[in-house]
Amino acid sequence: MVQMIDLYWTVIPLMLVHYYASHPWGECNWWRSRVVIFLTWLWSVRLSHNYFRRENWQWGARQDWRFTNMSLSYGNHWWWISFFTVYFSQQLLLITLSLPFYAIHSVNKPLSMMDLVATVLCSSGILIAYFADTQLHNFVTRNNNLKYVGKPIVPVLDKGLWYYSRHPNYFGEQLWWWGLALYAWNIGYGWTLVGAIGNTLCLAYVTKLVEERMLRQKNRTEAYTKYQKTTSIWVPWFKVFDPSGVRNKNA
C-alpha cells in the first residue's frame, strides 16, 4: 500500500505542530506560534486538496509511477525494500522537516523582521504551489479530453507559472519548508535547516526522474528538450534563447 504514503505528508506535520504547541514543557511567542499553526493548516489543506483532485477524489486508488517502477525493478524483494526506500526514509524526512515546529515552541523570543520574511516565504510557497498544481491539473485534464476524442495532446505545459519554471510546484514546496526553517534559524535553532536541505536534495532527485520520464515519451521528447533549453528548472525566471538563437516555439 505504498500509494498511501502521500497522505502521511498532509497530516504528520499538522499533528506535530499541535503536539509541540500543546506540550506542557513548551514555551513560545504566542503570535509566532499561531501564525505558524495557521500557515501549516493552509499548507496541509492545499496538499490534501491537490492529492484528492489528482486522484479524482478517491482514496489511495492509484500508485505513484515511481513506486510502480521500483516495485518492478526489485520484484519479490520489494516488500522489504519498500520499508526502507519509501516508509522509513520518508518518515525520517518528515520528522526532520518538522523540527522547526519544535524550535518555535521551545523558546519565547520577540517577533522580528525575520519573522515577517519567513511568513512571506511560507505564504508565497503555498500560493505558488497551489497555482502551479492547478495549472498542471488543468493541463492534464485537457490532454485527457483530447485523447478521448482522438486528437493529439499538447506535449509540454509552458503556460502560466510553467512558462517561467519547469517545476514551479517543487519551487513552491521548497519555499514553504525553507520559510519554516527561517523561523527556527531566527530564534537560534539553525541546525533545524537540515530538514529543508534534505528535502531540496530529495526534490532534486525527483526532478531528475520526472525529466527523464518526459524525455522517454516519444511524443514529447523534441518539445521537452527545447523547453529544457529555454526555461529555468526551479526558480521562476525569464526565458532564454536556445543555442540556435531561436526562442522556444512552445513559449
Side-chain angles (χ1 to χ4, degrees):
M1 295 292 289
V2 292
Q3 63 265 38
M4 302 298 289
I5 193 67
D6 286 347
L7 295 174
Y8 293 140
W9 280 85
T10 68
V11 297
I12 289 182
L14 198 58
M15 293 171 63
L16 286 173
V17 72
H18 280 286
Y19 170 76
Y20 292 128
S22 61
H23 199 284
W25 292 354
E27 58 175 320
C28 63
N29 179 285
W30 189 90
W31 281 107
R32 182 182 292 116
S33 171
R34 294 311 180 268
V35 168
V36 169
I37 289 173
F38 174 72
L39 289 172
T40 306
W41 269 99
L42 283 182
W43 169 84
S44 179
V45 169
R46 182 210 71 78
L47 195 61
S48 300
H49 172 261
N50 182 62
Y51 170 82
F52 285 109
R53 176 177 59 180
R54 186 187 69 206
E55 303 301 320
N56 294 318
W57 309 103
Q58 299 178 74
W59 183 286
R62 184 175 61 92
Q63 181 170 271
D64 189 296
W65 60 269
R66 287 161 292 196
F67 298 146
T68 299
N69 290 347
M70 290 172 70
S71 65
L72 293 174
S73 298
Y74 292 112
N76 293 333
H77 297 288
W78 176 238
W79 69 271
W80 65 267
I81 291 177
S82 64
F83 173 79
F84 296 101
T85 58
V86 179
Y87 294 107
F88 179 77
S89 61
Q90 293 206 43
Q91 291 296 330
L92 183 62
L93 181 58
L94 271 171
I95 291 171
T96 55
L97 278 170
S98 299
L99 286 174
F101 296 141
Y102 163 78
I104 290 164
H105 296 96
S106 295
V107 60
N108 186 358
K109 287 189 175 181
L111 294 176
S112 68
M113 185 58 65
M114 199 61 70
D115 287 293
L116 177 60
V117 174
T119 301
V120 170
L121 282 179
C122 287
S123 303
S124 299
I126 294 169
L127 286 173
I128 290 172
Y130 170 76
F131 285 112
D133 282 333
T134 297
Q135 291 163 5
L136 178 60
H137 174 75
N138 293 339
F139 173 77
V140 172
T141 300
R142 285 195 298 270
N143 269 346
N144 286 338
N145 291 336
L146 289 172
K147 283 182 183 178
Y148 183 76
V149 297
K151 294 183 178 180
I153 65 169
V154 179
V156 174
L157 170 58
D158 58 0
K159 299 294 187 291
L161 291 171
W162 300 80
Y163 178 84
Y164 302 98
S165 167
R166 304 203 301 269
H167 302 277
N169 50 345
Y170 294 167
F171 174 71
E173 187 69 7
Q174 287 184 82
L175 273 187
W176 155 254
W177 291 114
W178 278 101
L180 196 62
L182 185 58
Y183 281 111
W185 179 82
N186 182 44
I187 55 177
Y189 283 75
W191 56 271
T192 61
L193 289 169
V194 64
I197 294 171
N199 186 58
T200 296
L201 293 175
C202 181
L203 281 179
Y205 178 66
V206 171
T207 298
K208 176 177 177 290
L209 293 180
V210 171
E211 299 216 333
E212 287 176 349
R213 185 173 186 245
M214 292 292 289
L215 293 172
R216 285 196 300 268
Q217 299 175 30
K218 293 182 179 180
N219 60 336
R220 286 185 162 129
T221 302
E222 182 180 357
Y224 200 80
T225 299
K226 292 180 179 179
Y227 184 56
Q228 286 179 313
K229 292 177 180 178
T230 61
T231 311
S232 170
I233 186 168
W234 275 346
V235 180
W237 197 246
F238 300 103
K239 287 283 187 181
V240 298
F241 290 95
D242 63 28
S244 65
V246 180
R247 192 180 293 273
N248 184 359
K249 65 181 180 181
N250 292 317

